[in-house]
Amino acid sequence: MARCTDSAMSAVDPDLEAPEERRFLSTAEAAALERELLEDYRFGRQQLVELCGHASAVAVTKVFPLAALSRKQRTVLVVCGPEQNGAVGLVCARHLRVFEYEPTIFYPTRSMDPLHRDLTTQCEKMDIPFLSYLPVEVQLINDAYRLVVDAVLGPGAEPGKVGGPCTRALATLKLLSIPLVSLDIPSGWDAETGSDAEDGLRPDVLVSLAAPKRCAGRFSGRHHFVAGRFVPDDVRRKFALRLPGYTGTDCVVAL
Amino acid sequence: MARCTDSAMSAVDPDLEAPEERRFLSTAEAAALERELLEDYRFGRQQLVELCGHASAVAVTKVFPLAALSRKQRTVLVVCGPEQNGAVGLVCARHLRVFEYEPTIFYPTRSMDPLHRDLTTQCEKMDIPFLSYLPVEVQLINDAYRLVVDAVLGPGAEPGKVGGPCTRALATLKLLSIPLVSLDIPSGWDAETGSDAEDGLRPDVLVSLAAPKRCAGRFSGRHHFVAGRFVPDDVRRKFALRLPGYTGTDCVVAL
């Protein structure tokens, strides 16, 4: 490919000797891929967050199809953090609402970013309830919701720095017995090493956004989807992403 | 609904005596609906254009499924105007590329709007060819493409004012024998009355964006889709949109 120059290829981690075997991105590669989409391809954040949030909702429908749920089982708790992962969670909640699920949002630390604010308004105006606090008694959550979407922390986040209600929310999510769907990485895991994979969240479903991050290698849940159909072929080749093909107009693919 | 106040209801055309029978929006209502999405719901233009363009591409796949096309038949010519309809066309072309069609774009009058510029960059970087001129000899177009997507003029456009290459392109599109897919309204038709429905473009497929405009009543092609799954229920009720329900995670529905 003409655009796949030497300098472009340097985005790929030189430590990896067999990139053709590789499926998962290091944190630096994931950041470089996102930069490529934003700066070179001129994707907008609003556009990417919309595509990722929509695909995340579609992934939820694949594992928990509406037809298999009773009216009371359509309830989904979406826990959103203050960064980009949380923005994707807000979009996911909106599309779940459109798909006739019953999402509820817990978004304790609100971002001042206009994108987050607008996405919040969309959810509020669509009558999606926002919890003002998360019950400490996990059985209340287990009883009230069919599943929880974890959109708290993305790959760049430093769990120690988030603090406050998000940290407490993660401690609560760890104790739940209902299924957990994590967006991009299980919140609190190190995106690179997956450390905290033993003690941290143990999601049943992982939805990798754009491409799987390295920590996904330690994911042991039932379903792993990639939501990266929008990633151009040239970018996939440049980052040596070897992923199964998408079917029809599907925006997610199961690994 | 609490938000469906009297002043909000005034957006609905008072001339219409039986709004419960109505499916199609007047130009003023369509503008009011868009304003509601942008101003009240705080949807972004980038977000709406992405959702509409994606859904338009999905509609194309429903009428012309990839599996039924030979390699040579995957070619789609997307003709984009300088306004919002053209932006949706650019997004549609990109998603068609992602769905493994072979789009080519003709976008003769380029908008200076950063949104259009970014969407153009995305298509260029994805190696979608842009034609520098449209052949006057229609047989060349009939032979080269399986279908044409008309994203030239939207409901607000005044065909007389567009002029230049877009007007010439419309004259060429009128003469084609390959199928034509119009986005939102057939370009050049009056959005309200559908005048020019006899002499103007005669699309085989119409994809109404958000909701059908009144001129859609004069559409006599084979397939009419609505790409408006993102329109919140409250807004649908407020504008008395009586449309069939969407299935599963489908973003379009056939009327």
Side-chain angles (χ1 to χ4, degrees):
Chain A
M1 302 306 303
R3 282 193 200 97
C4 205
T5 61
D6 286 352
S7 83
M9 283 306 289
S10 70
V12 175
D13 189 336
D15 292 346
L16 272 155
E17 287 176 16
E20 64 280 9
E21 296 297 325
R22 204 170 47 107
R23 282 177 144 187
F24 300 157
L25 299 183
S26 70
T27 312
E29 287 167 329
L33 187 150
E34 187 173 332
R35 221 166 30 240
E36 176 114 7
L37 295 178
L38 292 169
E39 293 173 13
D40 293 1
Y41 279 79
R42 306 290 307 160
F43 277 93
R45 283 202 179 271
Q46 201 181 86
Q47 199 179 5
L48 290 180
V49 162
E50 186 69 27
L51 289 163
C52 288
H54 171 258
S56 300
V58 169
V60 168
T61 70
K62 292 199 182 275
V63 181
F64 307 95
L66 200 67
L69 302 175
S70 70
R71 189 86 212 169
K72 276 199 66 176
Q73 289 179 321
R74 297 179 180 182
T75 50
V76 182
L77 177 63
V78 184
V79 184
C80 299
E83 306 290 345
Q84 185 158 301
N85 210 249
V88 175
L90 293 169
V91 175
C92 173
R94 171 163 46 83
H95 284 283
L96 284 174
R97 184 77 202 80
V98 163
F99 297 154
E100 296 178 34
Y101 291 72
E102 302 283 354
T104 293
I105 294 171
F106 180 56
Y107 177 32
T109 309
R110 299 210 175 183
S111 165
M112 303 306 282
D113 184 328
L115 173 59
H116 287 243
R117 216 183 40 216
D118 289 349
L119 296 173
T120 305
T121 302
Q122 290 159 30
C123 290
E124 287 172 344
K125 294 267 302 174
M126 284 174 76
D127 286 331
I128 300 176
F130 281 69
L131 295 183
S132 52
Y133 70 97
L134 197 66
V136 177
E137 179 55 73
V138 291
Q139 199 50 43
L140 291 173
I141 303 174
N142 287 335
D143 291 346
Y145 304 100
R146 177 68 182 86
L147 67 135
V148 176
V149 173
D150 152 33
V152 184
L153 300 177
E158 294 173 52
K161 281 201 181 165
V162 181
C166 282
T167 307
R168 285 197 296 278
L170 289 185
T172 303
L173 296 190
K174 258 184 230 179
L175 304 172
L176 295 178
S177 56
I178 51 176
L180 186 68
V181 178
S182 284
L183 305 191
D184 212 15
I185 68 164
S187 293
W189 285 28
D190 183 288
E192 191 84 23
T193 63
S195 77
D196 212 22
E198 304 304 320
D199 313 332
L201 295 186
R202 303 283 290 271
D204 298 87
V205 183
L206 178 62
V207 185
S208 294
L209 306 179
K213 316 307 175 287
R214 271 206 190 136
C215 67
R218 300 191 65 181
F219 169 72
S220 59
R222 289 176 301 152
H223 303 277
H224 184 189
F225 294 96
V226 181
R229 184 132 203 202
F230 57 89
V231 177
D233 283 345
D234 270 11
V235 177
R236 261 179 239 178
R237 278 189 286 268
K238 179 167 162 182
F239 287 88
L241 290 173
R242 292 170 62 81
L243 298 168
Y246 294 84
T247 306
T249 58
D250 273 3
C251 53
V252 295
V253 63
L255 286 194
Chain B
M1 300 306 303
R3 284 191 199 99
C4 205
T5 61
D6 286 352
S7 83
M9 283 306 290
S10 70
V12 175
D13 189 336
D15 291 347
L16 272 156
E17 287 176 18
E20 65 281 10
E21 296 296 326
R22 204 169 47 106
R23 282 177 145 186
F24 300 158
L25 299 183
S26 71
T27 311
E29 287 167 329
L33 186 149
E34 187 172 333
R35 220 166 31 239
E36 176 113 8
L37 294 179
L38 291 169
E39 293 172 14
D40 293 1
Y41 280 80
R42 305 289 308 160
F43 277 93
R45 283 203 179 271
Q46 202 182 84
Q47 199 178 5
L48 291 180
V49 162
E50 187 69 28
L51 289 163
C52 288
H54 171 258
S56 299
V58 169
V60 168
T61 71
K62 292 199 182 276
V63 182
F64 307 96
L66 200 67
L69 302 175
S70 70
R71 189 86 211 170
K72 276 199 68 176
Q73 288 179 322
R74 297 179 182 184
T75 50
V76 182
L77 176 63
V78 184
V79 185
C80 300
E83 305 290 345
Q84 185 159 301
N85 209 251
V88 175
L90 293 168
V91 175
C92 174
R94 171 163 46 83
H95 283 283
L96 284 174
R97 184 77 202 79
V98 164
F99 297 154
E100 297 178 33
Y101 290 72
E102 302 282 353
T104 292
I105 295 171
F106 180 55
Y107 177 33
T109 309
R110 299 210 175 183
S111 165
M112 302 307 281
D113 184 328
L115 174 59
H116 286 244
R117 217 182 40 215
D118 289 348
L119 296 174
T120 305
T121 301
Q122 290 160 29
C123 290
E124 287 172 343
K125 293 268 302 175
M126 284 174 75
D127 286 331
I128 300 176
F130 281 70
L131 295 182
S132 52
Y133 70 97
L134 197 65
V136 177
E137 178 55 72
V138 292
Q139 198 50 44
L140 291 173
I141 303 174
N142 287 334
D143 291 345
Y145 304 100
R146 178 66 183 86
L147 67 135
V148 176
V149 173
D150 153 32
V152 185
L153 300 177
E158 294 173 51
K161 279 201 180 167
V162 182
C166 282
T167 307
R168 285 196 296 278
L170 288 184
T172 304
L173 296 191
K174 257 184 230 178
L175 303 173
L176 295 178
S177 56
I178 52 176
L180 186 67
V181 179
S182 284
L183 305 191
D184 212 15
I185 68 164
S187 294
W189 285 27
D190 184 289
E192 192 84 25
T193 63
S195 78
D196 212 21
E198 304 304 322
D199 312 333
L201 295 186
R202 303 283 290 271
D204 298 88
V205 182
L206 178 62
V207 185
S208 293
L209 306 179
K213 316 306 176 289
R214 271 206 191 135
C215 67
R218 300 191 65 182
F219 169 72
S220 59
R222 288 176 301 151
H223 304 277
H224 184 188
F225 294 96
V226 181
R229 184 133 203 200
F230 56 89
V231 177
D233 283 345
D234 270 12
V235 176
R236 262 180 237 177
R237 277 189 287 268
K238 178 167 163 181
F239 288 88
L241 290 173
R242 292 170 62 81
L243 298 168
Y246 294 83
T247 307
T249 59
D250 273 5
C251 53
V252 295
V253 64
L255 286 193

